[in-house]
Amino acid sequence: MSAHPTRRAEQRDRTQSRILEAARRLFAEVGYDRATIRAIAAAADTDPGLVMRYFGSKDNLFAQVAQFDRDELITGTPPQAAEQLLAALEQKLAEQPTDALTAIRSMLTHPDAAAEVRSAMVARQQQAAQHLADDDAHLRAGLIGALTIGTVIGRHLLELDALRDAPPDRIAALLRRAIHDIAHGTPEPEPRAPNL
């Protein structure tokens, strides 16, 4: 008698996994507004009623799939931190970060997605700032975060030709000096106004 409920639980788990995978893919491809419950159910080869039964609403489903993968914590000296940030960027360029792209694509039209992106980025930047040069550490972390998200968007969402086709290690190599300069370099003084 215990085998029957177990089979049902396994079937439910498989269906939920298919729904989550379909939702993750559709939210990443078309954004929050255009990914309907009906389309998600069709992609998961299930009934729309089951999507609602398991997840309650489109918002709840979105909240479960639109999360940033948690990167490794940044550690060490500012030069070591810069290399870790470059390695994390290279990994995001090598494999489409589907969860992050889901949130990024949807953030322009869905307030919860914008909040998710901002929250994830702020947490990441606050943690990284502890390992960057002390002067303007949070600004340094924010600039590196902006470079990272801009590069990921350019490659995976906008599919800019050269950026889309370049090997991830080549992109990281071209950004290495800039990331290191931001992470621990001495800021350039402001140019003086010319004497008149």
Side-chain angles (χ1 to χ4, degrees):
M1 185 158 155
S2 63
H4 184 65
T6 302
R7 277 185 277 155
R8 266 202 285 195
E10 289 170 356
Q11 184 178 16
R12 182 184 65 239
D13 290 347
R14 284 194 302 272
T15 302
Q16 286 177 331
S17 293
R18 285 196 329 267
I19 292 168
L20 287 169
E21 184 54 38
R24 186 175 289 112
R25 193 173 58 252
L26 282 174
F27 283 132
E29 289 172 5
V30 301
Y32 179 86
D33 288 340
R34 292 177 54 206
T36 65
I37 292 294
R38 189 176 301 278
I40 292 166
D45 194 28
T46 194
D47 184 81
L50 281 179
V51 176
M52 296 303 287
R53 179 175 167 196
Y54 292 145
F55 298 97
S57 69
K58 184 175 164 181
D59 281 344
N60 290 343
L61 179 57
F62 180 81
Q64 288 203 30
V65 299
Q67 298 177 4
F68 280 82
D69 293 330
R70 301 300 173 214
D71 291 326
E72 295 290 323
L73 294 179
I74 301 303
T75 61
T77 65
Q80 291 168 332
E83 284 301 316
Q84 292 168 36
L85 290 163
L86 280 162
L89 171 61
E90 194 172 329
Q91 183 179 352
K92 287 176 177 67
L93 297 174
E95 302 172 10
Q96 279 205 358
T98 308
D99 292 349
L101 292 176
T102 298
I104 291 167
R105 184 179 296 278
S106 299
M107 72 183 195
L108 300 175
T109 59
H110 189 54
D112 288 345
E116 174 72 24
V117 171
R118 184 180 187 289
S119 174
M121 289 190 70
V122 165
R124 175 76 168 162
Q125 289 168 14
Q126 288 175 343
Q127 194 278 318
Q130 299 171 30
H131 300 279
L132 303 180
D134 288 340
D135 60 312
D136 293 322
H138 289 282
L139 177 57
R140 290 173 187 269
L143 289 169
I144 292 171
L147 275 173
T148 299
I149 199 167
T151 304
V152 169
I153 288 171
R155 182 178 179 92
H156 294 301
L157 291 184
L158 299 176
E159 296 184 358
L160 302 174
D161 290 345
L163 191 53
R164 179 193 64 217
D165 300 332
D169 61 335
R170 182 68 184 138
I171 296 169
L174 287 170
L175 288 173
R176 180 162 277 107
R177 184 173 200 164
I179 298 293
H180 274 276
D181 282 349
I182 295 169
H184 58 87
T186 303
E188 294 291 322
E190 289 186 34
R192 286 190 250 160
N195 293 332
L196 298 177

